[in-house]
Every structure is written in structure tokens, then in C-alpha cells.
Amino acid sequence: MEHVKDLKLQGLCEEAHCLDEGLLDSLQDQLGKASGTQLLVLHMLGNHGPAYFKRYPAAFEHFKPACRTEDLRRCSREEITNAYDNALLYTDHVLARTLTLLKAATQVDTALIFVSDHGESLGENNLYLHGLPYAIAPDVQKQVPMFLWLSDGLTGGPSDGQTAASAQPAPLKPACMQQLKRDAAQQTASHDHLFHTVLGLLGVNTRLYEPAWDLLQGCRKP
């Protein structure tokens, strides 16, 4: 496990925290040396509050005025929301850079799953941040974004990627994947799906795997 702050990346790290782009510092090299089946976990800070203003560089302060303190009581709701939206804009940038690196690594088959661990309240019903007991937490703290991107080699398209013989996932049916994409907005998923979908993508054989919780199970070729 690597901690980005230990890399002391110029322009990305200051004092005790680093920007999320630091996670990509060695990704291109790792992809170039990849062999067999590998799982890389990039643990982003994303939009975690209350220090939203620390989650993005100055160039991404598009929404103004933005709250510039961790004491949200000193900011208006508009300022807090602007800081959050700036952090979200930067997260989009980091994910776009990640996809660019994965698409360029044509020698391997790659996949990207992004999911937040929780949402944030931004003043709705006078609530802020997160962490309320699940039974009473508002939907904005419980409903989170999740998306999945797969390279051509995993969806039946052209690929030069290599897959380890010990863990060879079945290719996915292109037509089924297109239907899955169209249905995604109406499909309810949860963090429970993440574990089993990753196991299925990696072709891991274990009694812990539950096909019903694998979002891609219905699209696998026999």
C-alpha cells in the first residue's frame, strides 16, 4: 500500500494532505508493467467534508464565492455548495485522466469502477455532512454515484490484452452490455453489488461469490 502524501509530489501535496491526482502519479508505469490479473484500488478523498475547499486546486474554483474554512457555520449555504461543486468538478477531471490512461494502455484489458462510500448533506433540512444513523439519514447521504467502464477486450471488442490463465473471466456480450447501459438509470444497486461484481470481473473462484449480486452476470458469455 502506498500513501500519496509520502511521495511529496510537487504541486499536489501540501502539509498533511494531497490532491487526488497524486493517485495517478505511477498509474501509467503500473499499467506498463502489469502482468496477469491485478486489482488496483485508488482511495480518493473526493468530496469528503467539511474541508471541501482542500479537495481541489485553485484552477478548479469555478463556482464562487466558495467556503474556505472547515467551520461550515461561518459560511453561507451557497458558499458551501459552491465549494462542494468545485470539488466535484475536480473529481470529474481526475476520473477523466484515469480513463485516458486506461484507454492508452492497449496492451492490457482494463476496467474502472467508481463508487462513493457515502453522500453529503448540503443544508437540506438544515443538515450538513454525513454520518446520521442509516434509518434516519436523508437520501442525499445514502444515494451515491457509481459507474463502470470496460475496455474493448472485456466487452468483445478488439484487444491485445492478456489475461492470467488462473483467473480468466468470461467475455461479456456486447448487445447485453448496451442494454445494461440503457437500463442503468432505472436499476437499483448497492455497495453489496460491488464486491461480487469485482470478483466476477477478475474471474475469481470462491464460495463467497454470489452471481445474483454481480451486476454483469447476465451479460457473461457461457
Side-chain angles (χ1 to χ4, degrees), residues 16-39:
H17 80 280
C18 296
L19 296 171
D20 282 337
E21 274 184 283
L23 294 167
L24 308 182
D25 180 67
S26 62
L27 181 58
Q28 187 172 12
D29 289 339
Q30 289 177 304
L31 291 170
K33 297 183 293 187
S35 62
T37 301
Q38 296 185 10
L39 172 66

Side-chain angles (χ1 to χ4, degrees), residues 102-103 105-110 149-162 171-172 174 221:
L102 294 179
K103 290 177 181 178
T106 55
Q107 77 282 4
V108 289
D109 296 333
T110 55
W149 174 87
L150 303 169
S151 66
D152 287 338
L154 294 176
T155 56
S159 173
D160 296 325
Q162 300 297 316
L172 302 168
K221 294 181 181 179

